[in-house]
């Protein structure tokens, strides 16, 4: 499975888009999360259900999970309109660009670490309708068929040398997903690594920062993460590594400038990342004036009592 196969799938969906009401794609599990992520970006203004599914055990075996997964996907596709690219496995329908494969042996092979399943199939079929993406404008369906293959993923590890980072970022690389420690941290004992990242960014390489952890997101809370921001490394928030790579390939394939790609990597295009709503900070009042945050308010009260 590679990017040319994604284009073939998208082309088939485009060809029969107005003939069928939903589409089910049978797929191997090893790269299924990559395909689901890529298709979610390639299929723009999607108004029909697209489900990617497969099995851990081949359907030809007596004991397999393929029949159950296929029938479950078929049931959802035939009864509900979930206008997204989704992934169905083990009685759960996930948003495709939120999934990762987390188990090589169990039937419950896929999880969505930072986003709850859209549908749970049991005695009843429970659909989380508030979470399902809906078109907010009347626009025609469009299939994008250009993906940039000059992208890659680099996982940080203790002892990684700056020379290796520079070699990894050498042409023809145009985009890289950087899997960092914890909440988006990089080694601060080796400033040469940050210099290599900054040099690549200046050269036009788009670098996206995602966490190696299963759950959580990237933050600039720590100084080591802020160094990456100064190097023009884009925080990937809570995107999975698979999703970030396919999104980067999609944006570069559309011919956007590096600056435009960096801006769009931080935006939710297909529900692939959690948008944090900005809220005005509460203002607390004391007898001697106002404090703009709760922390300032408590600190002022402690100082007043100490006097």
């Amino acid at each position: 499975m590679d990017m040319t196969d994604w284009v073939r799938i998208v082309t088939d969906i485009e060809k029969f888009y107005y003939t069928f009401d939903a589409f089910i794609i049978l797929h191997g599990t090893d790269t299924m999360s990559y395909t689901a992520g890529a298709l979610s970006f390639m299929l723009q203004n999607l108004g029909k259900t697209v489900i990617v599914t497969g099995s851990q055990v081949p359907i030809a075996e007596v004991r397999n999970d393929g029949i159950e997964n296929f029938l479950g996907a078929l049931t959802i596709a035939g009864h509900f309109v979930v206008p997204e690219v989704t992934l169905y496995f083990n009685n759960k329908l996930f948003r495709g660009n939120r999934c990762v494969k987390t188990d090589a042996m169990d039937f419950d092979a896929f999880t969505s670490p930072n986003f709850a399943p859209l549908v749970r199939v049991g005695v009843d079929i429970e659909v989380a309708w508030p979470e399902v993406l809906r078109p907010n404008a009347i626009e025609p369906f469009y299939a994008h068929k250009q993906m940039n293959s000059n992208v890659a993923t680099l996982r940080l590890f203790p002892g990684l040398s700056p020379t290796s980072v520079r070699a990894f970022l050498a042409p023809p690389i145009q985009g890289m997903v950087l899997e960092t420690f914890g909440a988006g941290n990089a080694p601060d004992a080796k400033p040469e690594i940050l210099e290599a990242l900054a040099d690549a960014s200046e050269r036009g390489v788009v670098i996206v920062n995602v966490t190696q952890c299963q759950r959580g997101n990237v933050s600039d809370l720590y100084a080591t993460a802020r160094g990456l921001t100064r190097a023009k490394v884009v925080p990937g928030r809570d995107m999975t590594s698979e999703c970030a790579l396919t999104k980067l390939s999609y944006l570069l394939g559309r011919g956007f400038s590096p600056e435009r790609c960096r801006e769009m990597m931080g935006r939710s295009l297909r529900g692939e990342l959690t948008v944090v709503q900005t809220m005005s900070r509460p203002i607390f009042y004391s007898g001697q004036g106002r404090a703009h945050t709760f922390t300032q308010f408590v600190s002022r009260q402690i100082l007043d009592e100490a006097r």
Side-chain angles (χ1 to χ4, degrees):
M1 177 63 64
D2 60 24
M3 295 181 183
T4 59
D5 295 310
W6 297 340
V7 173
R8 288 174 58 194
I9 295 172
V10 166
T11 302
D12 285 341
I13 292 176
E14 179 187 41
K15 181 179 179 180
F16 297 102
Y17 185 77
Y18 296 102
T19 304
F20 299 101
D21 295 324
F23 299 88
I24 296 176
I25 301 164
L26 302 182
H27 198 288
T29 60
D30 289 342
T31 57
M32 188 182 294
S33 56
Y34 287 96
T35 297
L39 296 185
S40 73
F41 298 113
M42 298 171 76
L43 301 175
Q44 187 173 353
N45 302 324
L46 186 63
K48 299 186 178 184
T49 305
V50 176
I51 302 177
V52 184
T53 191
S55 64
Q56 288 282 73
V57 178
I59 200 169
E61 299 292 333
V62 174
R63 182 173 176 269
N64 69 82
D65 58 329
I67 295 176
E68 189 68 27
N69 286 338
F70 177 67
L71 290 178
L74 193 63
T75 300
I76 294 173
H79 289 83
F80 305 99
V81 178
V82 183
E84 301 187 33
V85 175
T86 58
L87 188 153
Y88 183 82
F89 223 84
N90 196 41
N91 299 319
K92 292 184 286 290
L93 184 76
F94 303 102
R95 178 167 294 161
N97 53 35
R98 291 283 195 156
C99 287
V100 293
K101 185 177 181 180
T102 55
D103 201 308
M105 305 298 295
D106 197 85
F107 285 165
D108 193 17
F110 287 86
T111 58
S112 178
N114 294 304
F115 195 80
L118 296 174
V119 181
R120 295 180 186 271
V121 177
V123 175
D124 297 318
I125 299 178
E126 302 175 358
V127 183
W129 289 115
E131 304 300 333
V132 176
L133 291 178
R134 294 288 179 179
N136 53 17
I138 300 177
E139 296 181 2
F141 167 75
Y142 186 81
H144 295 278
K145 302 174 187 176
Q146 295 294 327
M147 299 289 280
N148 191 316
S149 61
N150 295 322
V151 294
T153 300
L154 176 63
R155 185 181 180 93
L156 292 184
F157 57 88
L160 177 65
S161 69
T163 303
S164 298
V165 175
R166 288 190 180 276
F168 198 87
L169 289 166
I173 286 294
Q174 294 177 261
M176 184 183 78
V177 176
L178 185 67
E179 295 185 359
T180 54
F181 307 124
N185 304 318
D188 57 351
K190 293 183 177 180
E192 297 87 354
I193 291 181
L194 294 179
E195 291 175 7
L197 296 173
D199 291 345
S201 295
E202 288 298 323
R203 202 171 65 242
V205 179
V206 181
I207 306 173
V208 184
N209 180 8
V210 300
T211 177
Q212 296 178 9
C213 302
Q214 280 291 317
R215 298 182 186 274
N217 60 7
V218 167
S219 168
D220 61 354
L221 181 64
Y222 301 103
T224 49
R226 289 194 291 271
L228 291 173
T229 303
R230 288 192 293 271
K232 293 186 178 181
V233 177
V234 183
R237 300 193 188 182
D238 59 350
M239 277 190 294
T240 65
S241 179
E242 294 92 331
C243 172
L245 186 74
T246 54
K247 183 178 181 180
L248 193 54
S249 174
Y250 161 74
L251 292 175
L252 291 170
R254 292 197 57 182
F256 294 129
S257 67
E259 292 76 15
R260 178 67 169 159
C261 287
R262 293 186 184 105
E263 186 267 329
M264 296 187 73
M265 284 300 300
R267 287 170 44 193
S268 177
L269 304 181
R270 309 284 193 270
E272 71 278 6
L273 55 82
T274 303
V275 177
V276 179
Q277 299 292 337
T278 57
M279 300 177 63
S280 58
R281 296 186 299 178
I283 298 176
F284 298 88
Y285 289 90
S286 63
Q288 299 178 353
R290 71 178 186 177
H292 291 279
T293 66
F294 179 72
T295 303
Q296 292 174 346
F297 175 75
V298 173
S299 301
R300 182 171 293 172
Q301 295 289 9
I302 294 175
L303 290 174
D304 290 343
E305 292 177 2
R307 296 194 187 111

